[in-house]
């Protein structure tokens, strides 16, 4: 048995994890000594051990669809990149990186692209989530400095969450807030969000403002602090669509609170005026003096584990490494440190414009590292068309099949979590180690090594001669200190000379924010969002994350317990809009914009504003047919940060009543015909897809099974049909189809693929999709940590468990990560209301 202290690879909280390897089994627990989480993990972090298998992994280099050796793949990559550079110049090459990379990987990629290829066309998926926050901090402080720590959240009198569903997206930090509020009943919490989310569970005040109107709310607060009258309370209330008394309450609480802290994320940043919104928030902290002291400040929470590390090494196209800029002194400094005469002299292409340039044929070669832009970028159909037309697409990836890797001419197998070795920086500027505790599988290699090998192919071997990631980290730290007389706050001087042993043993380290010599209030003129609703597209679509999935699901989508809470794209809509557009709860609907269409299942939500929709951003072409929300989103960007406005898209919605719906289980899912819509769902030891269409799938399924030589067991009763396929007594496939989605005993079906029922009654029950006898299904899973279903919870409530604590004591739900507590409370309230009405 072996234990390793490492760091979670999901959100920006940066939780410490203790990983234990016993044979081929990996288990994890929270690291009690790590200051970010103090031993707590969310459900995604708790399930990390279940993501370490090799199913679907890319384990050998692939060139033009054929597996090959590393020398051959590197030779081809170097030759093709050289040809592009020699023919079209360095500006025809681009890298697109990821907050999933370690700092050492990021540093190597930035150094190669900007320092030696000689163009600044390296950008990152952090552009999609954090770049507006970067602009806001730089304009206010002169540098990209996040001025807060997690302890400030716990020690504040007023915590404002704006554009953040932290209960689901930063659950461990949110639980620290929950605990702090329990210990300090005088603390007030304000949630500013058009939707009523799980985060509102602890809110003293929820401000469901009009989408995109956040700047008006904070400009009005600044006016009140400064005693000016350009944005009086009445004007703010009208602009934001809020009751004046609620706006007044928020302003009064903020002004009178001894300490106040504002937490903000994608709801602020992902906007065509996101940079101004960030500065509007920063302004009120500067003007009120609630800044640079305990419990105070504007705190941008990063979305990814190393978005901050990418910012530190210059991973954004408009920055140099170590928080330096495209200015003469900084350009000279970085060039001298790297020993290069080829350093890019001007900013490069940012994410959206980078893929636009690929589409126009200006960028001929793109190297995509650890991210999935064919899903995550706006107007994803256009992104796919751009990649399809690009002469050279290189992808470094853990998984073999992603929406993006389908366009790759060259695929490099990269190491995954638990295999790679390096550092990450979390939202509070804390550097932590990700340590390897498993051997490299197949021929997978570290990203920094792959980059260094390609650099050698291009003739830059001397500058990329590292033998270990510790050497890269120390070079990065030394650059941060190089000719740094204190003008740059980011300075890792004391880490620059770490030995390999000291780096291996590095404990979490938080770099100092400095004394903020520049504190500039930036004038902000509130603007509406850029989406225009009209008679054809009358609704505003908001997209975001859900509790148990991560980004484009390339890891979490394969973990059965992370698929239990929400297993397919969901369209949340108000009851008023559902009635107007003839939509019923649980029905399928088509959502469309001028750019594309997606299909999702309707969920009527009383916390959703009328005129607005919400759907998750995670689903992709590997997990659903027409499940990509970014197929609808326009590439409309903030002019300062280049960040897309992903939160407001004008759409229309129409009910879709397919001729049939069904469930398909198989040991290996067949490729379904184009007429079928499908949603792939992780299941235990079997593959599952929910399917629907206007043309019955029954005959196709039977023909497929017959072609495999399997024995068929068939039942057809009225509007319901089912098929079981057997081979030598083993269940190979099961299909259940009806005019409505069949209600099935899913755990019983999954068990049948492991151990087939021997009795005739059991096989008949299986053919019907039901359990024999009176056994009851769990229902929708509410608590993913312990797989506690809605049916068990409802039964416990009906028997007297009238609080989340009581349910936790009886069933354990809500006692681990706490993310399900708001839903537990919602079930209690709903059942008690039914009892009261009856």
């Amino acid at each position: 048995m072996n234990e390793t202290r490492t760091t979670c690879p999901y959100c920006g909280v940066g939780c410490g994890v203790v990983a234990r390897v016993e044979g081929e089994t990996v288990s994890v627990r929270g690291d009690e000594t790590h200051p970010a989480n103090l031993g707590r993990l969310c459900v995604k972090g708790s399930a990390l051990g279940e993501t370490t298998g090799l199913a679907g992994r890319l384990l050998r280099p692939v060139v033009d669809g054929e597996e090959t050796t590393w020398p051959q793949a590197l030779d081809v990559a170097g030759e093709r990149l050289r040809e592009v550079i020699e023919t079209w110049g360095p500006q025809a090459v681009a890298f697109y990186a990821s907050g999933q990379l370690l700092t050492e990987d990021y540093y190597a990629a930035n150094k190669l692209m900007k320092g030696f290829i000689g163009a600044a066309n390296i950008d990152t998926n952090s552009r999609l989530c954090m770049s507006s926050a970067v602009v806001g901090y730089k304009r206010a402080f002169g540098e990209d400095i996040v001025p807060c720590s997690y302890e400030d959240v716990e020690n504040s009198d007023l915590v404002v969450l704006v554009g953040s569903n932290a209960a689901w997206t930063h659950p461990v930090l949110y639980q620290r807030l929950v605990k702090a509020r329990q210990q300090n009943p005088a603390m007030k919490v304000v949630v500013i969000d058009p939707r009523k989310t799980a985060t509102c569970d602890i809110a003293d005040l929820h401000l469901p403002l009009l989408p995109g109107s956040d700047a008006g709310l904070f400009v009005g607060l600044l006016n009140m602090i400064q005693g000016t009258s350009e944005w009086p309370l009445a004007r703010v209330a009208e602009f934001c669509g809020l009751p004046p008394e609620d706006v007044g309450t928020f302003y009064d609480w903020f002004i009178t609170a001894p300490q106040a802290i504002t937490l903000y994320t994608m709801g602020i940043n992902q906007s065509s005026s996101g940079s101004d919104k960030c500065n509007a928030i920063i302004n009120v902290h500067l003007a009120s003096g609630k800044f640079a002291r305990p419990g105070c400040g504007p705190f941008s929470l990063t979305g990814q584990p190393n978005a901050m590390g990418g910012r530190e090494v210059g991973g954004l196209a408009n920055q140099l490494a170590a928080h330096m800029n495209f200015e003469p002194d900084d350009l000279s400094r970085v060039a001298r440190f790297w020993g290069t005469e080829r350093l890019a002299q001007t900013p490069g292409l940012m994410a959206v414009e980078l893929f636009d340039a690929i589409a126009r044929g200006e960028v001929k070669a793109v190297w995509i590292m650890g991210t999935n832009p064919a899903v995550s970028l706006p107007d994803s159909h256009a992104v796919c068309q751009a990649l399809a037309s690009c002469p050279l697409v290189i992808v470094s990836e853990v998984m073999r099949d992603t929406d993006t890797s389908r366009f790759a001419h060259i695929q490099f197998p990269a190491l995954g979590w638990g295999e790679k070795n390096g550092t990450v920086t979390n939202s509070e500027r804390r550097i932590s180690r990700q340590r390897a505790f498993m051997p490299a599988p197949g021929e997978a290699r570290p990203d920094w090594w792959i980059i260094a090998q390609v650099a050698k192919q291009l003739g830059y071997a001397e500058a990329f001669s590292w033998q270990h990631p510790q050497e890269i980290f120390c070079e990065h730290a030394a650059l941060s200190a190089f000719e740094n007389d204190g003008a740059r706050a980011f300075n890792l001087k004391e880490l620059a000379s770490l030995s390999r042993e000291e780096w291996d043993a590095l404990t979490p380290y938080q770099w100092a924010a400095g004394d903020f010599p520049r504190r500039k209030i930036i004038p902000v003129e509130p603007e509406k969002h850029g989406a225009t609703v009209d008679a054809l597209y009358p609704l505003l679509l908001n997209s975001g994350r859900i509790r148990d999935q991560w980004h484009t699901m390339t890891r979490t989508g394969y973990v059965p317990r992370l698929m239990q809470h929400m297993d397919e794209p969901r369209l949340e809509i108000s009851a008023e809009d559902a009635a107007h557009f003839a939509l019923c709860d649980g029905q399928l609907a088509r959502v469309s914009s001028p750019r594309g269409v997606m299909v999702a299942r309707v969920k009527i939500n009383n916390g959703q504003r009328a005129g607005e929709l919400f759907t998750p951003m995670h689903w992709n072409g590997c997990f659903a047919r027409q499940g990509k929300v970014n197929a609808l989103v326009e590439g409309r960007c903030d002019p300062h940060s280049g960040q897309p406005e992903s939160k407001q898209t004008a759409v229309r919605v129409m009910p879709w009543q397919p001729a049939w719906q069904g469930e398909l289980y198989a040991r290996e899912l067949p490729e379904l015909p184009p007429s079928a819509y499908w949603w792939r769902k992780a299941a235990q030891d079997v593959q599952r897809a929910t399917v629907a269409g206007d043309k019955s799938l029954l005959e196709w399924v039977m023909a497929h099974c017959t072609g495999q030589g399997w024995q068929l067991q068939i039942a057809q009763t009225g509007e319901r049909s089912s098929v079981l396929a057997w081979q030598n007594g083993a269940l190979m496939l099961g299909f259940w189809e009806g005019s409505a989605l069949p209600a099935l005993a899913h755990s019983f079906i999954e068990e049948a693929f492991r151990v087939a029922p021997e009795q005739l009654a059991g096989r008949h029950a299986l053919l019907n999709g039901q359990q024999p006898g009176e056994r009851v299904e769990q229902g929708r899973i509410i608590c993913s940590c312990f797989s506690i279903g809605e049916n068990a919870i409802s039964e416990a409530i009906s028997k007297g468990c009238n609080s989340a604590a009581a349910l936790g004591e009886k069933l354990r739900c809500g006692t681990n990560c706490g993310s399900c507590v708001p839903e537990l409370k919602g079930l209690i309230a709903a059942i008690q209301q039914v009892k009261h009405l009856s």
Side-chain angles (χ1 to χ4, degrees), residues 19 260 300 726 757:
S300 163
W726 304 88

Side-chain angles (χ1 to χ4, degrees), residues 136-149 152 156-158 225 254 257-262 264 278-300 429 489 513-521:
Y137 284 137
K138 290 184 71 173
R139 293 197 299 195
F141 311 141
E143 191 173 337
D144 177 18
I145 308 170
V146 178
C148 304
S149 298
D152 293 321
S156 192
D157 301 294
L158 176 67
I225 292 169
F254 191 96
Q259 291 89 29
I261 189 168
T262 304
Y264 55 102
C278 292
N279 281 111
I281 293 169
I282 295 169
N283 287 347
V284 300
H285 284 277
L286 293 177
S288 65
K290 296 177 173 63
F291 176 79
R293 54 189 180 90
C296 296
F299 195 175
S300 163
R429 312 180 316 280
D515 57 5
F516 298 96
R518 172 174 164 180
R519 306 183 184 195
K520 185 176 181 180
I521 291 179

Side-chain angles (χ1 to χ4, degrees), residues 596-778:
V597 64
M598 71 172 294
V599 178
R601 201 169 296 276
V602 172
K603 175 65 177 177
I604 296 175
N605 183 347
N606 292 330
Q608 193 72 32
R609 289 174 58 105
E612 299 165 19
L613 308 172
F614 175 83
T615 193
M617 49 78 73
H618 307 285
W619 270 264
N620 58 68
C622 295
F623 285 90
R625 182 179 173 216
Q626 292 194 340
K628 294 195 295 185
V629 66
N630 281 318
L632 283 61
V633 177
E634 184 182 354
R636 186 174 55 248
C637 297
D638 179 293
H640 306 288
S641 68
Q643 182 155 0
E645 188 164 60
S646 299
K647 294 296 183 181
Q648 289 95 38
T649 301
V651 299
R652 67 169 174 255
V653 61
M654 298 180 66
W656 179 42
Q657 183 59 55
W660 61 271
Q661 297 185 60
E663 297 281 4
L664 175 65
Y665 280 87
R667 296 187 182 274
E668 290 291 334
L669 282 176
E671 184 176 344
L672 296 173
S675 61
Y677 286 77
W678 50 270
W679 297 267
R680 181 175 177 176
K681 301 176 178 181
Q684 195 69 43
D685 302 324
V686 65
Q687 297 187 26
R688 174 190 171 194
T690 298
V691 288
D694 292 324
K695 179 182 178 182
S696 173
L697 196 63
L698 181 64
E699 290 186 8
W700 185 92
V701 169
M702 293 170 61
H704 169 78
C705 295
T706 302
Q708 301 296 317
W710 299 337
Q711 296 174 316
L712 298 185
Q713 187 179 355
I714 305 167
Q716 290 182 289
T717 55
E719 297 182 343
R720 182 85 176 265
S721 303
S722 55
V723 175
L724 299 179
W726 304 88
Q727 184 179 48
N728 300 325
L731 182 62
M732 305 303 292
L733 179 147
F735 177 65
W736 296 263
E737 174 185 288
S739 57
L741 184 64
L744 304 178
H746 293 286
S747 58
F748 174 58
I749 293 169
E750 291 178 23
E751 177 63 26
F753 277 87
R754 290 187 287 272
V755 180
E758 294 183 1
Q759 301 299 321
L760 189 60
R763 293 205 174 196
H764 279 309
L766 181 63
L767 185 60
N768 195 37
Q770 302 302 317
Q771 294 178 338
E774 297 183 358
R775 295 168 60 192
V776 178
E777 275 287 288
Q778 298 182 83

Side-chain angles (χ1 to χ4, degrees), residues 58-63 69-70 72-78 81 367-368 394-399 408 410-415 443-445 447 449-451 454:
L58 177 65
L59 297 176
R60 293 192 67 195
V62 176
V63 174
T69 64
W70 270 110
Q72 178 65 18
L74 292 167
D75 283 347
V76 173
L81 283 170
W367 186 353
I368 299 166
I394 303 173
V395 172
S396 300
E397 184 51 84
V398 173
M399 305 303 291
I410 300 172
Q411 291 176 263
F412 290 139
L415 295 181
E443 296 182 33
R445 297 291 183 268
D447 285 280
W449 181 90
I450 301 170
I451 294 160
V454 171

Side-chain angles (χ1 to χ4, degrees), residues 119-325:
N121 295 336
I122 174 172
D123 212 43
T124 163
N125 59 17
S126 298
R127 177 72 60 190
L128 311 181
C129 57
M130 299 312 305
S131 53
S132 292
V134 172
V135 171
Y137 284 137
K138 290 184 71 173
R139 293 197 299 195
F141 311 141
E143 191 173 337
D144 177 18
I145 308 170
V146 178
C148 304
S149 298
Y150 298 154
E151 289 81 1
D152 293 321
V153 179
E154 298 170 313
N155 297 321
S156 192
D157 301 294
L158 176 67
V159 179
V160 182
L161 297 108
V162 53
S164 168
N165 185 14
W168 281 15
T169 60
H170 298 86
V172 169
L173 178 59
Y174 178 78
Q175 291 302 320
R176 289 181 65 166
L177 171 60
V178 170
K179 184 177 180 181
R181 190 172 181 274
Q182 291 170 344
Q183 295 173 343
N184 177 17
M187 175 193 284
K188 287 186 170 61
V189 176
V190 177
V191 175
I192 302 168
D193 195 311
R195 297 194 303 141
K196 184 178 181 181
T197 67
T199 301
C200 296
D201 182 56
I202 62 167
D204 298 285
L205 177 65
H206 173 216
L207 298 176
L209 76 180
L210 289 170
S213 65
D214 312 79
L217 186 65
F218 284 92
V219 167
L221 177 54
L222 179 67
N223 275 216
M224 186 164 285
I225 292 169
Q226 295 182 329
T228 58
S229 58
E230 185 179 353
W231 277 80
L233 192 147
R235 182 183 180 188
V236 171
E238 181 181 4
F239 184 82
C240 297
L242 293 170
E245 57 270 23
D246 288 352
V247 177
T249 298
F250 169 50
Y251 287 1
D252 179 63
W253 287 358
F254 191 96
I255 291 169
T256 59
Q259 291 89 29
I261 189 168
T262 304
L263 312 179
Y264 55 102
T265 57
M266 309 316 160
I268 291 294
N269 298 335
Q270 289 178 333
S271 165
S272 56
S273 58
S275 299
D276 284 351
K277 290 175 184 175
C278 292
N279 281 111
I281 293 169
I282 295 169
N283 287 347
V284 300
H285 284 277
L286 293 177
S288 65
K290 296 177 173 63
F291 176 79
R293 54 189 180 90
C296 296
F299 195 175
S300 163
L301 301 179
T302 54
Q304 293 193 76
N306 203 29
M308 183 75 75
R311 288 149 67 175
E312 292 165 356
V313 303
L316 294 169
N318 51 341
Q319 292 183 336
L320 289 180
H323 284 198
M324 287 183 272
N325 301 303

